[in-house]
């Protein structure tokens, strides 16, 4: 092989490698930006839930007509816990296979059970079309159904 051919070949290989590395880097940057955006949106939601669950006058504006404000505030606190778990899961901080354990722990709480009974269907509607959110909702639904308190109520 002539020297010029070897130089051209190695230059093409370096260019191709640089292009591949650049494309991978762009994809990684886009994924990280999406994660940052999701974290910011979740922070906004968690802040809103924190205010709603501790400020009766504010909660009163959003409380369903058939519900007491204090009960609604408690359910919002349960929603806050569920949202925190959802964010941890979406960002990859819940190890594979551990989500059912966390969901079962949440559902040990009476207020989380009450929240899920009242708003679980709404969460399922919100999750439609988002595979990860649908999975999260199914796992929580299973945990709620399998909790001894729920099973006793169904019997």
């Amino acid at each position: 092989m002539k020297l010029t051919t070897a130089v051209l070949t190695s230059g093409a290989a370096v260019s191709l490698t640089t292009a591949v590395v650049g494309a991978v880097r762009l994809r990684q940057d886009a994924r990280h930006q999406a994660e940052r955006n999701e974290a910011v949106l979740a922070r906004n939601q968690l802040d809103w839930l924190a205010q709603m669950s501790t400020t009766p006058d504010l909660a009163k504006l959003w409380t369903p007509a058939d519900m007491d404000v204090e009960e609604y505030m408690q359910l919002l606190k349960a929603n806050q816990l569920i949202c925190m778990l959802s964010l941890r899961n979406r960002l990859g901080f819940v190890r594979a296979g551990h989500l059912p354990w966390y969901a079962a722990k949440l559902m040990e709480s009476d207020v989380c059970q009450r929240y899920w009974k009242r708003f679980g269907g709404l969460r399922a509607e919100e999750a439609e079309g988002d595979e990860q959110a649908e999975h999260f909702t199914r796992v929580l639904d299973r945990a709620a159904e399998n909790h001894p308190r729920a099973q006793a109520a169904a019997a």
Side-chain angles (χ1 to χ4, degrees), residues 106-121:
L106 275 177
M107 291 306 162
E108 287 178 3
S109 164
D110 179 60
V111 72
C112 286
Q113 281 277 331
R114 292 193 327 263
Y115 169 82
W116 199 258
K117 184 176 181 181
R118 175 71 188 241
F119 295 109

Side-chain angles (χ1 to χ4, degrees), residues 16-84:
L16 180 61
T17 301
T18 302
V20 168
V21 168
V24 168
R25 177 64 189 202
L26 287 174
R27 186 171 175 215
Q28 184 180 33
D29 286 348
R31 188 181 83 238
H32 287 159
Q33 184 60 47
E35 288 173 351
R36 283 190 296 275
N37 291 347
E38 186 149 0
V40 167
L41 290 173
R43 179 77 261 156
N44 288 343
Q45 181 180 17
L46 291 170
D47 288 347
W48 184 80
L49 286 169
Q51 286 191 2
M52 291 282 290
S53 64
T54 57
T55 311
D57 289 339
L58 183 59
K60 193 183 316 180
L61 299 172
W62 295 89
T63 302
D66 64 339
M67 188 179 287
D68 174 64
V69 174
E70 289 298 320
E71 171 68 3
Y72 186 59
M73 290 171 64
Q74 289 178 21
L75 297 183
L76 290 175
K77 205 46 124 168
N79 187 20
Q80 190 176 19
L81 288 171
I82 292 169
C83 287
M84 287 189 289

Side-chain angles (χ1 to χ4, degrees), residues 89-154:
N89 184 59
R90 288 184 83 77
L91 296 178
F93 293 113
V94 175
R95 286 184 282 167
H98 285 207
L99 183 57
W101 183 84
Y102 282 109
K105 286 296 177 191
L106 275 177
M107 291 306 162
E108 287 178 3
S109 164
D110 179 60
V111 72
C112 286
Q113 281 277 331
R114 292 193 327 263
Y115 169 82
W116 199 258
K117 184 176 181 181
R118 175 71 188 241
F119 295 109
L122 177 62
R123 288 190 71 104
E125 287 177 31
E126 289 175 337
E128 284 179 13
D130 180 337
E131 196 173 308
Q132 191 173 13
E134 287 175 347
H135 172 71
F136 180 84
T137 303
R138 278 191 308 273
V139 169
L140 260 73
D141 205 36
R142 240 177 275 126
E145 289 171 0
N146 292 335
H147 192 273
R149 196 173 16 240
Q151 290 176 344

